[in-house]
Amino acid sequence: MGQQETVATSLADTVREGIGAALAQVDADLARRYPGDPGTRQPVHTVYVPGDAFAADTLRSWGDQALAALDAHAPDAGALAAVLGLPDTLAEEVHDRVRAKLVREPIEDLRIDFEDGYGPRPDAEEDAAAARAAALVAAAYENKTAAPYMGIRMKCMEAAVRDRGIRTLDIFLTGLMVAGGLPDGLVLTLPKVTYAEQVTAMVRLLEAFERTHGLESGRIGFEIQIETTQSILGADGRATVARMIEAAEGRATSLHYGTFDYSASCGVSAAHQSLDHPVADHAKAVMQVAAAGTGVRLSDGSTNVLPVGPTDRVHAAWRLHHGLVSRSLARAYYQGWDMHPAHLPTRYAAVYAFYRGGLEQAAARLAAYVAKAGGDVMDEPATAKALSGYLLRGLDCGAVDTAEVARLTGLTRADLDALAGRPEATEG
C-alpha cells in the first residue's frame, strides 16, 4: 500500500519525446490562433449615431426616448407580453428589468459613425466633427456618463475614401490622447473590408500611432465589418474572413455582419434584405466557424424597420425586431445593431427573456455537473463551459443577478469564470 503499482508498457520514452518535438510547432500555432474567450464583457448591441448628430446627452436621450416609447405602446408587463408573446411567468420580471436598464444603462456600445451614416462632407467639416467626437467621448469617460464601450466607425480602406478615413481616425485618437489617453472601452470599426491586405493596412496604421505616442504594441484593437461578398469567399474559393482574422495579428476584437450592404452585394432585392435571409445565414455561419476559438466575437446586423408611428405600426416593428434578436441569440450571435431608440425596449426584452427563460434549467444542469450528480442530461465539459458562459452573459447585461445564480448553482462569479475558461473574473 502507498506504492505506485507498476504497469507494463511497450514504447520507449524517446517515442513520446519525438512526437512531442514533432508537434511543438502545432502546439504553439494552436495556442496563438485559438486563445479562447478574452474574458471580457461583450455588449448585447451596438448603436450607431452619425458623427454630426452625436452629442453629450446622446446616451440619456436615447434612453429617455426608449422609455417614452415603452410607456406609450406597452405601459405595463401585460401589454408588453401581449405584443411580443412573452410567457406569463416572464412578463413582469422582463418588463421591470427592461425599464430599469433603460434608466441605468440604455446603451452598452456606441459607435460614432463617419461612414455610411455620415457620408461625404467637406474635409474641414469632418475634421471638426472628429475632433468634437474625441472631446465628447473623453469627457463622458471622465464624468462617468460613458457607455461601457464607445468609439468610431471610420471610412473604409478603399482608394476613394482611404485618406479621409485615416485622417478621421488620426484626429479622433489624437484628440483622446490629448485629453488624457485612450479609454479602456475604446472600440474602432473598419467597414467594407474586401481583402485581408486592408486589415493588414489597419494594423500598420495602428502600430504607427502606438509608436508615435509610446503606447504598448497591440494596445489598439478594432472590429472588422463583414458586408462584402469578398470578405466571405475570395476569388480563390477560400473563406476570406479567416484570412482577415489572421491578418489582424491579434488586434481583431469582433466581426460585425452588415445586413444591407452584404445582401445588396448578393443581389437580394431591398424588400427581402433581412437578418434571416438565407444569404445572411450563410455569411454568418462562415463567420462563426472562422472566429470560433480565436477570441474574436461576433455581432449580427440590424433591421431597418423602425418602431415609429401609430401603435399598431410600432407593435408590428417590435414583433419583427424581437423575433430577429431572439433568433440571433439562439444561433449564438449575442450582439447586434440597433438603429433607433425605440428598438431598445425589444432588444432588452428579447435578451432578458432569453437569459431568464433558461436560467433555472441552465443553473440546474451546471450544478449537477459540478456535483457529478447526473440527471436527465449527461453534460460534457464543453457543455459545462457553454452553460457557464450563458450565465455570465446574463449577469453582464443585467438579465440575471449574482445572488440568484449563486442560490441556484452554489457557484460564485469566479467559479463561473473558471468553468467558462475566462482568464479572470470580470464584473458587468
Side-chain angles (χ1 to χ4, degrees), residues 8 11 58 87 92 205 268 304 317 323 341 368 371 379 392 406:
L11 299 176
T58 291
E92 195 76 38
L205 180 64
V268 178
N304 59 0
D379 285 322
L392 285 165

Side-chain angles (χ1 to χ4, degrees), residues 27 53 61 65 121 141 343 348 357 369 380 385 387 419:
D27 295 340
S61 174
Q65 291 178 69
R121 306 289 182 96
Y141 278 102
H343 279 141
Y348 291 122
Y369 173 85
E380 299 283 343
K385 182 176 181 179
L387 289 166
L419 284 166

Side-chain angles (χ1 to χ4, degrees), residues 127-202:
D127 283 357
R132 176 175 167 275
L136 289 172
V137 169
Y141 278 102
E142 177 67 23
N143 61 30
K144 311 297 185 186
T145 61
Y149 300 94
M150 297 181 75
I152 67 167
R153 177 169 70 167
M154 60 190 281
K155 290 178 171 64
C156 69
M157 286 291 181
E158 293 177 356
V161 295
R162 182 185 304 138
D163 288 350
R164 181 62 261 180
I166 292 172
R167 181 172 174 82
T168 296
L169 179 64
D170 187 8
I171 292 171
F172 179 72
L173 292 178
T174 300
L176 291 176
M177 293 300 299
V178 170
L182 304 182
D184 290 338
L186 174 67
V187 187
L188 307 175
T189 306
L190 179 65
K192 292 185 175 58
V193 182
T194 52
Y195 279 72
E197 288 80 2
Q198 293 168 333
V199 175
T200 300
M202 183 69 164

Side-chain angles (χ1 to χ4, degrees), residues 226 232 241 257 262 278-288 333:
I226 305 299
I232 294 295
V241 64
Y257 176 68
Y262 188 86
V279 302
D281 284 342
H282 171 259
K284 288 182 286 187
V286 174
M287 292 164 60
Q288 195 166 41
Y333 267 75

Side-chain angles (χ1 to χ4, degrees), residues 69 72-75 79 82-84 305-321 346:
H73 304 293
V83 174
L84 303 181
V305 179
L306 303 184
V308 296
T311 294
D312 60 343
R313 189 180 301 171
V314 171
H315 284 180
W318 272 357
R319 282 190 290 270
L320 173 66
H321 186 236
T346 38

Side-chain angles (χ1 to χ4, degrees), residues 55-66:
D57 66 345
T58 291
L59 276 75
R60 188 63 264 149
S61 174
W62 271 60
D64 291 343
Q65 291 178 69

